[in-house]
Amino acid sequence: MKISPWLNTHLLFFIALFFGGVFTTQASDTKHTVNEPSILTFGVVPQQAASTLARKWSPLLAALSQNANFQLHFATAPDIPTFEKRLAKGEYDIAYMNPYHFTVFNESPGYQALVKEQGKKITGIIVVQKHSKAQSLSDLDGQLLAFPAPAAFAASVLPRANLKIEGINNQIKYVGSHDSVYLAVAQGLVAGGGGVKRTFKTMDKEVTKQLRVLWETPGYTPHAVAIHPRVPVVVREELIIKFTQFSATQEGSMLLEGLGFKPFEAAKSSDWNDVRALGLGDFSQPLETNDK
């Protein structure tokens, strides 16, 4: 049968259109399937040993990454000063940082608040050996005290500020982490040291049973989970939803409990104005003291 030129031309057009649509759809599907979730580095302030933090945080980050457009990878640093340097360079996409760190790194490189613990106030503590004769801060006058790092907010900045207000002078030794403080005090290497209740409660019981809390600071807005400005807004919004809805499940509640956390709530920069009001001064050595 002879096909007219008109029909032949239009038949070829429809065939091309059909197969072109198939190939376009296949290409679109292929592109969709190879579109991998964003890999985001989640930095955690090294208040404790890296192995301890990884064990406690990795399940939480894995749960938050489920069915998400991102994958959160745990990261920390060997000590708090190194963590601070990495924050200053913007090496972490997201970070769990102390209140003072947030006020500094919110300015530069511009980390933005995502969430914080709901209804929580952070307080610092000073611990001494269980059988120490010290009954008040004044009993530590002239003694050697251990703190994690100069800019460790609740465990160092707040206790040192109050010691200064009380006119108590001390020799200071920075030991890199909360765990190291507790060990130094338990071993009698120092008369006392600074930490926070959460790390004190989760520290090895063989260590903490040798210690007691001598004093506690007033409360301030707690640690921030903050995000680097390079991360797309859509990812930030998804993270806020994930964090704030996390405690609604039994699994989420158990993971938060394992970290000693309350449920998360959305946060904004101004939430840390109480910390800014302290006027803590220079970042490298907040709250000038004579500790060398």
Side-chain angles (χ1 to χ4, degrees), residues 25-292:
T25 302
Q26 289 178 340
S28 176
D29 289 344
T30 301
K31 182 177 180 181
H32 178 73
T33 58
V34 300
N35 185 25
E36 296 294 333
S38 301
I39 304 300
L40 300 176
T41 302
F42 194 108
V44 178
V45 59
Q47 296 173 320
Q48 297 177 288
S51 58
T52 301
L53 292 175
R55 174 170 51 83
K56 292 180 177 181
W57 277 87
S58 293
L60 174 67
L61 300 185
L64 289 168
S65 299
Q66 288 180 1
N67 303 316
N69 293 312
F70 52 78
Q71 292 294 307
L72 303 178
H73 283 198
F74 171 83
T76 187
D79 50 49
I80 292 174
T82 303
F83 180 73
E84 293 163 355
K85 291 175 183 176
R86 292 177 181 176
L87 283 175
K89 294 178 181 178
E91 292 187 14
Y92 304 116
D93 296 309
I94 309 164
Y96 174 72
M97 62 185 77
N98 78 38
Y100 176 62
H101 285 155
F102 177 72
T103 64
V104 172
F105 299 114
N106 173 238
E107 292 294 325
S108 177
Y111 279 95
Q112 300 171 13
L114 281 179
V115 295
K116 62 180 178 66
E117 287 181 74
Q118 189 176 37
K120 167 88 180 267
K121 289 292 183 180
I122 187 170
T123 59
I125 57 175
I126 288 183
V127 301
V128 295
Q129 282 188 321
K130 187 175 183 178
H131 301 296
S132 169
K133 294 181 179 179
Q135 298 299 319
S136 66
L137 288 182
S138 60
D139 293 328
L140 297 176
D141 191 29
Q143 301 293 310
L144 176 63
L145 302 182
F147 295 100
F153 180 69
S156 178
V157 175
L158 289 180
R160 287 163 51 219
N162 281 272
L163 288 167
K164 186 175 182 180
I165 291 170
E166 296 293 328
I168 299 169
N169 297 308
N170 301 96
Q171 301 173 58
I172 303 296
K173 182 176 181 63
Y174 295 114
V175 295
S177 72
H178 293 213
D179 285 3
S180 296
V181 169
Y182 304 140
L183 284 168
V185 178
Q187 293 169 4
L189 302 177
V190 293
V196 298
K197 284 184 175 180
R198 184 176 60 80
T199 57
F200 185 73
K201 289 179 180 178
T202 57
M203 179 63 179
D204 187 341
K205 301 305 179 187
E206 290 300 310
V207 176
T208 56
K209 73 180 183 181
Q210 303 175 55
L211 307 173
R212 63 181 168 88
V213 176
L214 175 70
W215 178 82
E216 183 176 335
T217 75
Y220 289 85
T221 303
H223 284 51
V225 175
I227 192 165
H228 195 279
R230 66 172 167 265
V231 180
V233 173
V234 64
V235 174
R236 298 178 207 171
E237 293 174 347
E238 186 177 3
L239 275 163
I240 291 173
I241 292 172
K242 283 273 188 177
F243 269 106
T244 55
Q245 293 183 350
F246 197 63
S247 61
T249 66
Q250 184 177 4
E251 177 195 13
S253 296
M254 290 178 63
L255 289 173
L256 290 176
E257 184 178 340
L259 279 164
F261 284 171
K262 293 185 176 183
F264 287 107
E265 63 180 358
K268 56 187 182 299
S269 174
S270 60
D271 291 334
W272 284 268
N273 283 347
D274 59 339
V275 179
R276 294 183 177 96
L278 291 172
L280 296 174
D282 180 70
F283 165 66
S284 61
Q285 187 75 337
L287 198 91
E288 288 298 328
T289 66
N290 295 322
D291 41 306
K292 299 295 183 183

